[in-house]
Amino acid sequence: MPKLNEHYQDLKESYLFAEIAHRVSAYSAAHPEQTVIRLGIGDVTLPLGSLALEGLHRGVDAMSSPDTFKGYGPEQGYAFLREAISAYYEKNGADVSADDIFISDGAKSDTGNIAELFADDNVILIPDPVYPVYVDSNLMSGRRITYLNGNAENQFLPMPDESIHADIIYLCSPNNPTGAVYNKGQLKIWVDYALKNSAVILFDSAYEAFITDPELPRSIYAIEGAKRCAIEFCSLSKTAGFTGTRCGYTVVPKELVFPASNGAEMSLHAMWNRRQSTKFNGTSYIVQSGAAAVFTEDGMKQCQANIHYYQENARIIADTLTRKNIRFFGGVHSPYIWFECPNQMDSWEFFDYLLNNAQVVGTPGAGFGENGKNYFRLTSFNSHENTIEAMKRFEKLF
């Protein structure tokens, strides 16, 4: 009989969004006459830009001829895309070598898989509330997690506690679920803390394209010293609408070198390269062709047009909450709006109340951690019409 990974018993019974889908499905089956508006899961709704589509078609066309056909590609990603991403970093104030960039099928996969590079007895520091993948992927390996409180008092931007030692630190900015964004001074404190503790920051910047203030960092590599302590994850899911197309990238600087127990030096860059070469056959050429078009000047303009559309939805939601005197966070440099549940309801109670009385779906904050149990997340990823209608329904309730 096989011995199973019993750490799976430590996971919650159902993944957050699976439970939401179950409740919505049950409600819709019981009330087929009602139109449900979904402002819950962070999935985009606008189509891909025309230049990204042209890039995808070029990739498809390349498969039609022996002269241009592509089979197995480099596990690290094609040079044309890695170089385009490197140039994108430079435009945003960060120096990132194309050789340090690894193309993947999305940030979710990489933030979960990166834990394979680290021993199970590391101390993991994770802010709460947090994207569930960070927690679950470590619980699956039985790692000890120390939580750092994010709350209204610190604007959901927790800072290092010098009394706590950490080996691995998860940060997300702009944050999922709260929409909060670290400034350069705050990130410098985190980088200094990581260097002092010989720790590694796992920095999720999946929503960096939503930042409109040029003073706010869109990459941790805009901070001095970050290449010696940080791995960065990014994705085209929200930047370019690739949630169904699947393309992301992870930056693992060659400067990330640490001693092994036998005295040898081990490179995280080399380890990740070995891991990807062993377990991943690379993102398809067709998808990478489409992704490369995103990073052209006109391709990025098309992406920004979609992002502006979602930002207008966020403004509509924020204005409604302001009128109802409900305290909220995010919604400016992020597609997420994080607010206190009205009438002191807990988040799952509010989820059911909103679904049953307004037919609007959001995400209960409890799914993101203990500090989210009285908060709720709405997303701006729907049409203007649906967002306006959802907020009209919301406003009638309170």
Side-chain angles (χ1 to χ4, degrees):
M1 183 175 68
K3 293 183 179 179
L4 305 183
N5 182 353
E6 297 186 3
H7 295 303
Y8 272 70
Q9 297 179 104
D10 299 328
L11 301 173
K12 294 180 181 178
E13 289 187 8
S14 177
Y15 184 59
L16 169 63
F17 298 109
E19 176 61 23
I20 290 172
H22 170 74
R23 295 194 187 199
V24 174
S25 177
Y27 175 83
S28 296
H31 304 277
E33 76 285 358
Q34 298 286 4
T35 301
V36 174
I37 300 176
R38 300 170 188 266
L39 302 180
I41 192 169
D43 194 1
V44 297
T45 53
L46 294 174
L48 300 179
S50 62
L51 291 178
L53 288 171
E54 289 173 9
L56 291 169
H57 282 297
R58 284 194 296 272
V60 171
D61 290 342
M63 298 299 180
S64 67
S65 168
D67 295 332
T68 56
F69 175 80
K70 298 292 188 296
Y72 289 122
E75 293 89 348
Q76 304 81 5
Y78 285 95
F80 65 81
L81 180 54
R82 299 167 83 190
E83 290 166 1
I85 295 171
S86 176
Y88 177 73
Y89 269 105
E90 185 176 2
K91 291 178 182 177
N92 289 316
D95 178 20
V96 172
S97 168
D99 291 341
D100 289 344
I101 298 169
F102 294 81
I103 310 301
S104 72
D105 61 354
K108 181 178 181 179
S109 300
D110 284 359
T111 54
N113 292 331
I114 200 73
E116 294 181 24
L117 305 190
F118 304 102
D120 290 345
D121 57 355
N122 281 295
V123 177
I124 312 299
L125 185 63
I126 299 181
D128 177 338
V130 69
Y131 182 44
V133 172
Y134 309 159
V135 174
D136 289 354
S137 58
N138 281 287
L139 290 178
M140 289 172 179
S141 298
R143 295 189 178 91
R144 180 165 63 90
I145 298 174
T146 298
Y147 292 98
L148 194 62
N149 288 324
N151 49 49
E153 287 66 37
N154 59 29
Q155 300 294 303
F156 290 97
L157 293 169
M159 298 303 293
D161 183 340
E162 294 294 340
S163 67
I164 297 174
H165 169 79
D167 301 304
I168 312 296
I169 303 159
Y170 284 79
L171 295 178
C172 179
S173 179
N175 184 265
N176 179 12
T178 69
V181 186
Y182 282 109
N183 62 37
K184 288 181 179 178
Q186 291 168 323
L187 281 186
K188 183 65 168 68
I189 293 171
W190 271 113
V191 167
D192 290 345
Y193 170 82
L195 292 171
K196 180 180 178 180
N197 284 269
S198 296
V200 175
I201 296 173
L202 303 180
F203 190 79
D204 188 346
S205 65
Y207 304 95
E208 55 83 21
F210 281 79
I211 294 177
T212 57
D213 184 347
E215 295 301 312
L216 291 174
R218 294 174 64 166
S219 166
I220 198 168
Y221 301 121
I223 310 303
E224 182 181 358
K227 285 186 178 180
R228 293 184 284 123
C229 66
I231 294 172
E232 182 163 286
F233 308 88
C234 202
S235 167
L236 293 188
S237 289
K238 308 308 189 296
T239 299
F242 271 48
T243 53
T245 311
R246 308 309 305 145
C247 189
Y249 50 95
T250 293
V251 181
V252 189
K254 296 182 184 68
E255 290 88 337
L256 292 173
V257 177
F258 297 92
S261 59
N262 62 3
E265 284 193 336
M266 295 187 71
S267 161
L268 287 177
H269 178 95
M271 292 172 67
W272 185 243
N273 186 60
R274 186 68 172 85
R275 188 268 173 204
Q276 294 296 83
S277 299
T278 301
K279 295 188 175 184
F280 183 58
N281 265 342
T283 305
S284 78
Y285 174 79
I286 296 169
V287 168
Q288 291 190 62
S289 178
V294 167
F295 289 102
T296 64
E297 183 176 352
D298 288 338
M300 194 52 61
K301 285 180 181 178
Q302 291 184 347
C303 293
Q304 284 298 321
N306 282 5
I307 288 172
H308 291 330
Y309 184 95
Y310 297 132
Q311 287 171 327
E312 174 62 15
N313 286 344
R315 185 196 62 76
I316 292 167
I317 297 170
D319 286 351
T320 302
L321 295 174
T322 299
R323 286 194 298 272
K324 305 307 292 187
N325 294 314
I326 296 173
R327 181 163 63 167
F328 68 92
F329 302 83
V332 179
H333 305 293
S334 164
Y336 300 126
I337 297 89
W338 178 256
F339 63 93
E340 290 181 308
C341 296
N343 302 330
Q344 298 182 320
M345 283 187 261
D346 69 48
S347 62
W348 278 110
E349 180 185 7
F350 183 70
F351 174 89
D352 290 332
Y353 179 81
L354 194 62
L355 175 60
N356 284 280
N357 293 281
Q359 295 74 53
V360 173
V361 177
T363 308
F368 299 102
E370 180 67 20
N371 289 338
K373 63 183 180 181
N374 295 115
Y375 284 84
F376 205 74
R377 192 193 78 174
L378 292 178
T379 85
S380 61
F381 293 121
N382 210 311
S383 67
H384 287 333
E385 295 76 15
N386 282 344
T387 302
I388 291 169
E389 174 61 25
M391 290 301 98
K392 285 181 179 177
R393 298 180 189 180
F394 183 100
E395 200 156 7
K396 290 178 181 179
L397 296 180
F398 304 103

